[in-house]
Amino acid sequence: MPLYDYKCRICGKKFEVIQKMSDRPVALCPDCGGEGERQISSEIGISFKGTGFYVNDSHSNGGSPASESK
């Protein structure tokens, strides 16, 4: 389940909530109980797995990084 960032409309506290993607985007502030507003998060981690994906870069010919530098 995704982790969403919220900011309280009353006290301004920022907090995180784990919710299903199908849940309504409403969460209550843990401090004051005010309604939280969902924030856009810039910290997104994407991991590509499987053949053809490399941790440090991508290679179209399937060679190793050491063999391409020669």
Side-chain angles (χ1 to χ4, degrees):
M1 282 196 287
L3 182 66
Y4 291 102
D5 295 326
Y6 282 88
K7 183 177 180 182
C8 180
R9 294 179 190 238
I10 296 173
C11 69
K13 178 181 174 73
K14 293 182 180 182
F15 56 98
E16 297 176 332
V17 178
I18 297 176
Q19 293 178 315
K20 293 181 184 178
M21 293 179 78
S22 60
D23 288 349
R24 285 184 48 217
V26 176
L28 299 178
C29 176
D31 285 352
C32 70
E35 183 179 344
E37 181 180 79
R38 189 182 284 183
Q39 304 290 296
I40 297 175
S41 178
S42 62
E43 298 178 20
I44 299 174
I46 298 175
S47 179
F48 295 103
K49 296 181 180 180
T51 59
F53 295 105
Y54 294 82
V55 174
N56 55 358
D57 56 11
S58 62
H59 298 279
S60 60
N61 64 0
S64 67
S67 65
E68 289 185 26
S69 64
K70 292 180 182 177

